[in-house]
Amino acid sequence: MVDTTSQWIVERTGICERRIADPETATSDMAAEAARAALEQRGIASSEIDAILVCTVTPDMFFPSTACLVQNRLGARGAWGFDLVAACSGFVYGLTTGAHLVSSGAHRRVLVIGADTMSRIIDYTDRSTCILFGDGAGAMLLEASGESDNGAGFIDFLGEIDGSGGDFLKMPAGGSRLPASVETVQQRLHYVHQEGQQVFKYAVKKMFEVCRDLLQRNGFTGDDVTMMIPHQANRRIITAAAERLNIGPDRVLVNIDRYGNTTAATIPLATQDAIAQGRLKKGDLVLFAAVGAGYTVGASLWRWAY
Ligand code: COA
């Protein structure tokens, strides 16, 4: 499709494969499937969910929200919910929001879903972006912990947004600023536009800083982290941050080689891989971290519960 090579892509990004949804599949389809899998793993009925958060920048449509579509698909009667828009940081923000809904005492079970069909907003004539993104969805069920959980669960979150970086990664048209028109389509403004180097530099710096500061204020260092599960945007961003944090490769989950950047889905997909590979056990200190469009930055720290 574009002037590139497999070698360039692998060396510069770490990506070897990506998944692209078939034309009939939209974000809510993948989100509902991921949600069902999460519920099945825990043996929880959809009627027992109190809230559904769908983190996405590629909703099926502006409204109704993807959370409503997923709720209906799951038959999760009694749940409320909403979509959360924070691009690649979406899932980390969703996890934190969900954790606070549970810790408030008002919710027992919150389903947090990260789902993006990036292929619908990617310009496959732009070699600087089309090689990066893939489609995917993942879900996590947050539950109120009991006394036997021994302090397991959410520990802390640190986040930051910086709108001055908004122009470096965006989908310019389709909203109230530039509604869809013949011109916006002709000018390819309904696709992702990115200044790759600017985003790269910011991500390398911020991924490290937010993790360092979050660990520090909780009395930890990188040595204490059992597993770092970062957003998967570029292998070089992950490696640079992990090295500076002194978290060795055996304690960092990287699966960008198989999925590319699936935006809000990278962290739940990576977590699922960590579980499948037997790399997470009860009591482990887990660090989630992401930097994304906005700019958005976030990291959260957890004690693994099972
Ligand atoms: N194949 C071959 N060459 C390519 C290419 C491709 N797919 N994409 C870009 N190039 C070229 C550029 O045109 C440029 O050529 P030039 O020097 O002749 O102008 C050269 O490669 C270097 O481009 P540059 O943008 O500096 O490359 P890079 O090392 O920064 O890598 C990205 C590009 C996009 C992989 C990298 O910037 C990146 O990962 N950025 C962050 C992306 C990201 O994280 N986005 C989501 C945030 S959550």
Side-chain angles (χ1 to χ4, degrees):
M1 293 175 181
V2 289
D3 180 17
T4 188
T5 62
S6 182
Q7 189 190 357
W8 193 96
I9 299 170
V10 175
E11 279 178 12
R12 305 292 265 209
T13 70
I15 298 167
C16 305
E17 299 174 20
R18 285 164 298 140
R19 271 67 190 157
I20 303 295
D22 60 73
E24 290 75 41
T25 300
T27 298
S28 69
D29 302 314
M30 295 192 295
E33 208 165 307
R36 272 198 208 101
L39 293 176
E40 261 168 38
Q41 262 183 35
R42 292 286 295 146
I44 303 286
S46 58
S47 56
E48 297 175 80
I49 304 167
D50 298 317
I52 301 171
L53 275 53
V54 180
C55 313
T56 186
V57 288
T58 50
D60 289 27
M61 59 198 95
F62 264 176
F63 63 89
S65 71
T66 311
C68 290
L69 303 176
V70 171
Q71 178 276 333
N72 188 40
R73 192 77 60 82
L74 296 177
R77 287 170 66 100
W80 73 291
F82 53 91
D83 288 4
L84 191 156
V85 184
C88 294
S89 304
F91 198 80
V92 177
Y93 287 15
L95 268 185
T96 301
T97 309
H100 284 102
L101 291 179
V102 172
S103 67
S104 73
H107 305 76
R108 277 201 66 74
R109 294 194 180 87
V110 176
L111 195 52
V112 183
I113 305 171
D116 270 303
T117 320
M118 294 304 290
S119 60
R120 301 292 147 73
I121 58 167
I122 292 298
D123 182 353
Y124 285 98
T125 67
D126 174 7
R127 69 177 182 175
S128 68
T129 53
C130 75
I131 54 132
L132 296 171
F133 294 93
D135 300 336
M140 277 193 211
L141 183 66
L142 304 181
E143 296 181 80
S145 51
E147 292 203 347
S148 62
D149 292 313
N150 225 355
F154 175 73
I155 299 172
D156 197 10
F157 164 80
L158 188 57
E160 180 183 338
I161 58 173
D162 178 2
S164 70
D167 278 339
F168 297 128
L169 181 50
K170 65 179 179 184
M171 189 173 94
S176 58
R177 177 73 56 193
L178 278 178
S181 67
V182 173
E183 288 74 30
T184 60
V185 172
Q186 282 171 345
Q187 291 165 23
R188 311 184 83 76
L189 298 178
H190 296 274
Y191 292 125
V192 170
H193 287 243
Q194 176 174 252
E195 301 280 336
Q197 278 215 7
Q198 295 283 349
V199 178
F200 186 88
K201 276 190 245 159
Y202 185 83
V204 165
K205 180 172 180 286
K206 283 296 182 177
M207 180 80 95
F208 163 67
E209 286 179 1
V210 73
C211 291
R212 177 200 61 195
D213 294 349
L214 179 66
L215 288 169
Q216 250 172 25
R217 82 174 185 193
N218 286 278
F220 295 117
T221 69
D223 293 331
D224 299 306
V225 174
T226 327
M227 184 59 63
M228 177 181 183
I229 304 185
H231 170 56
Q232 314 277 316
N234 186 316
R235 182 189 281 273
R236 292 184 290 141
I237 296 173
I238 298 171
T239 308
E243 273 174 7
R244 290 184 72 188
L245 291 163
N246 207 23
I247 304 177
D250 55 319
R251 292 185 288 130
V252 184
L253 203 297
V254 180
N255 68 358
I256 190 169
D257 50 324
R258 282 184 295 128
Y259 302 111
N261 184 349
T262 54
T263 305
T266 60
I267 287 183
L269 288 174
T271 307
Q272 176 62 33
D273 274 0
I275 293 167
Q277 292 164 14
R279 293 169 75 181
L280 281 180
K281 57 181 187 320
K282 192 171 174 146
D284 282 354
L285 189 65
V286 181
L287 174 65
F288 298 104
V291 178
Y295 291 125
T296 54
V297 180
S300 74
L301 206 51
W302 295 69
R303 241 339 136 196
W304 205 246
Y306 71 99

